[in-house]
Amino acid sequence: MNWNIITDSSCDLLPSSSPDGGIRLTSVPFTIRIGERDFVDDEHLDTMEMLSAMEQERSASHTSCPTPDAWLAQFEQADCAIAITISSQLSGSMNSAQIARELALERAPEKRIAVLDSRSTGPEIALCVEAMQGWIAQGMDFEGVVRAAERFLQKTHIAFALSSFDNLIKNGRMSRAVGFLAHKLGMWGIGAGSDEGEIAVRGKTRGPWRAIGMLIAEMQEKGFCGGRVAIDHCCNPDFAEKLRAKILEHWENARVSIHPTRGLCGYYAQRHGVIVAYALARPGQAPF
């Protein structure tokens, strides 16, 4: 039996496979429209080129989710397929995946296919993928992996720090005057994801160290007590490393990984933005 864990490109992990080839991680791309150019968010995307185009473009840009055909092509590649998408509150990607699932099962009813709503994006999806790979390697069956993943996503959280507000300004969510002042003052926007899968800015602070302090406070408020943390950064490895050091200072048993953003998370986080996801342990349970 072979497995295919499929994410859309809101997950910053690149395609890979287990040493024996039995567990594959694949990705279906978003398309990012900037001016008259389309950037396909696959493993060949030049993220720096996309960011530069976005920063030079005066008009608002937009994204298009993966098509059902893109999901269908991946569902057909394995006996067991589990798709995990960006929050259904933020995109139509989950709807596309569900359409593809129905088509795939019409053609091959014996296949095992599930579609999961992450109610999040980026590093939170990556944490769930990592967990699923471990459960599959341990011999858990299809239904068990799906149930465990659904429970896992209920105990993960996401927070972010933005140092650029260009997209908010271009999309009319912040005035140019306020955005200009925030940039000049070195302001950071700090936010988090809700249980429903929506994203909201919760406050602003000045300077990267205070931004790190607010992220740590957000993790403490949510009840993080150590375990897995994933940090995705958009052209800001220094901030990511400082955040990792501060997390380990507070929680010695934390295990922190760092990845650069791909196109979609880079589009939303913008240059220097950082997204952090972390898993909570249930009472009496060792942190993941």
Side-chain angles (χ1 to χ4, degrees), residues 1-7 15-17 21-28 70-84 111-114 129 132-133 136 142:
M1 180 181 294
N2 56 11
W3 296 73
N4 193 2
I5 300 173
I6 312 142
T7 72
S16 63
S17 64
I23 308 171
R24 297 174 58 222
L25 170 62
T26 57
S27 176
V28 292
W71 287 107
L72 179 61
Q74 293 302 329
F75 288 153
E76 293 178 334
Q77 298 303 310
D79 303 315
C80 297
I82 302 178
I84 179 167
K111 285 186 176 294
R112 315 301 298 277
I113 303 173
V129 167
M132 287 194 288
Q133 289 172 321
I136 294 167
F142 180 81

Side-chain angles (χ1 to χ4, degrees), residues 41-95:
D41 190 14
D42 59 17
E43 58 266 39
H44 305 297
L45 175 68
D46 186 332
T47 304
M48 296 300 293
E49 181 182 1
M50 184 207 76
L51 290 171
S52 296
M54 185 170 67
E55 291 161 353
Q56 294 167 17
E57 177 60 42
R58 296 183 62 84
S59 62
S61 52
H62 64 272
T63 65
S64 300
C65 70
T67 65
D69 282 345
W71 287 107
L72 179 61
Q74 293 302 329
F75 288 153
E76 293 178 334
Q77 298 303 310
D79 303 315
C80 297
I82 302 178
I84 179 167
T85 75
I86 190 174
S87 172
S88 59
Q89 299 297 311
L90 302 176
S91 167
S93 184
M94 184 180 180
N95 185 57

Side-chain angles (χ1 to χ4, degrees), residues 131-249:
M132 287 194 288
Q133 289 172 321
W135 298 325
I136 294 167
Q138 292 167 13
M140 188 178 290
D141 64 16
F142 180 81
E143 289 80 5
V145 172
V146 172
R147 287 195 301 269
E150 290 172 339
R151 291 193 299 269
F152 181 81
L153 289 168
Q154 294 174 359
K155 61 171 185 170
T156 53
H157 294 279
I158 194 166
F160 60 87
L162 305 180
S163 68
S164 174
F165 305 94
D166 285 350
N167 269 348
L168 296 177
I169 294 168
K170 290 173 183 176
N171 287 284
R173 298 179 182 177
M174 178 181 287
S175 73
R176 289 192 176 275
V178 171
F180 177 80
L181 181 61
H183 176 73
K184 287 297 182 182
L185 293 176
M187 299 296 291
W188 286 74
I190 309 299
S194 70
D195 291 339
E196 294 74 29
E198 298 176 334
I199 299 292
V201 176
R202 293 191 173 179
K204 300 183 182 70
T205 191
R206 188 173 182 180
W209 281 113
R210 290 183 179 178
I212 288 173
M214 288 185 70
L215 290 173
I216 295 294
E218 173 71 20
M219 295 172 71
Q220 290 173 322
E221 180 182 333
K222 284 291 192 298
F224 182 69
C225 59
R228 282 293 287 117
V229 181
I231 301 171
D232 290 356
H233 68 89
C234 184
C235 309
N236 202 350
D238 183 60
F239 185 104
E241 289 292 350
K242 288 176 179 175
L243 176 57
R244 171 157 59 185
K246 187 60 69 173
I247 289 170
L248 293 174
E249 181 181 313

